[in-house]
């Protein structure tokens, strides 16, 4: 089976306070062999990049309406008249609020949905085939 990777580099902003944010280079990655997840790598130019992995469905929904609870929450808003997607990430190391431009995130998500349409993720894993082979024995 051919695996596909859909990547997009973009600058997102780490929100430090309501008045202050700093740019952070990031990479969005989607791999068809891990069809339920999206991978976001921050500080891609540094020696110690930080990677977060969470459900693609969460990001797809979060572009349109607030969703998620716990470690990852995503919601759309406007900042200075521009559409953005906010991601609140929590870990034992700390919390971060990140602001990404909505248009490139949405365009990248659309590309991932063309590679693996929603509802077909399990087929990518070949679980049905593997299970059928196992039960056939």
């Amino acid at each position: 089976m051919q695996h596909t990777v859909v990547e997009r580099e973009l600058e997102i902003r780490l929100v430090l306070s309501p008045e202050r944010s700093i740019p952070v280079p990031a990479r969005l990655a989607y791999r068809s062999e891990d069809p339920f997840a999206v991978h976001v790598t921050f500080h891609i130019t540094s020696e110690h990049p930080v990677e977060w992995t969470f459900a693609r469905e969460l990001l797809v929904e979060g572009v349109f309406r607030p969703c998620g609870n716990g470690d990852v929450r995503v919601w759309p808003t406007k900042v200075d008249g521009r559409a953005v997607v906010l991601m609140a990430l929590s870990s034992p190391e700390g919390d971060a609020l990140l602001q990404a431009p909505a248009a490139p995130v949405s365009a990248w998500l659309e590309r991932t949905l063309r590679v693996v349409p929603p509802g077909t993720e399990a087929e990518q894993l070949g679980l049905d085939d593997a299970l059928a082979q196992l039960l056939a024995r």
Side-chain angles (χ1 to χ4, degrees), residues 6 28 30 38 56-64 102-115:
V6 181
L28 304 173
Y30 178 77
V38 293
R56 174 175 72 167
E57 192 177 344
L58 194 63
L59 194 53
V60 169
E61 189 176 333
V63 168
F64 298 103
V105 171
S106 297
W108 173 78
L109 279 169
E110 283 176 25
R111 286 173 48 211
T112 76
L113 295 170
R114 281 198 299 271
V115 169

Side-chain angles (χ1 to χ4, degrees), residues 34-127:
D34 188 7
F36 290 102
V38 293
H39 307 272
V40 186
T41 307
F42 305 103
H43 303 291
I44 53 176
T45 54
S46 74
E47 196 177 323
H48 302 288
V50 176
E51 185 173 299
W52 275 76
T53 300
F54 52 90
R56 174 175 72 167
E57 192 177 344
L58 194 63
L59 194 53
V60 169
E61 189 176 333
V63 168
F64 298 103
R65 64 187 148 276
C67 68
N69 52 34
D71 295 347
V72 179
R73 295 188 334 271
V74 185
W75 67 97
T77 192
K78 284 208 179 337
V79 174
D80 300 328
R82 292 177 313 123
V84 298
V85 177
L86 289 172
M87 293 178 278
L89 308 177
S90 298
S91 76
E93 289 79 45
D95 300 337
L97 179 60
L98 299 148
Q99 175 187 308
V105 171
S106 297
W108 173 78
L109 279 169
E110 283 176 25
R111 286 173 48 211
T112 76
L113 295 170
R114 281 198 299 271
V115 169
V116 179
T120 67
E121 294 91 348
E123 295 166 26
Q124 292 295 314
L125 296 174
L127 294 179

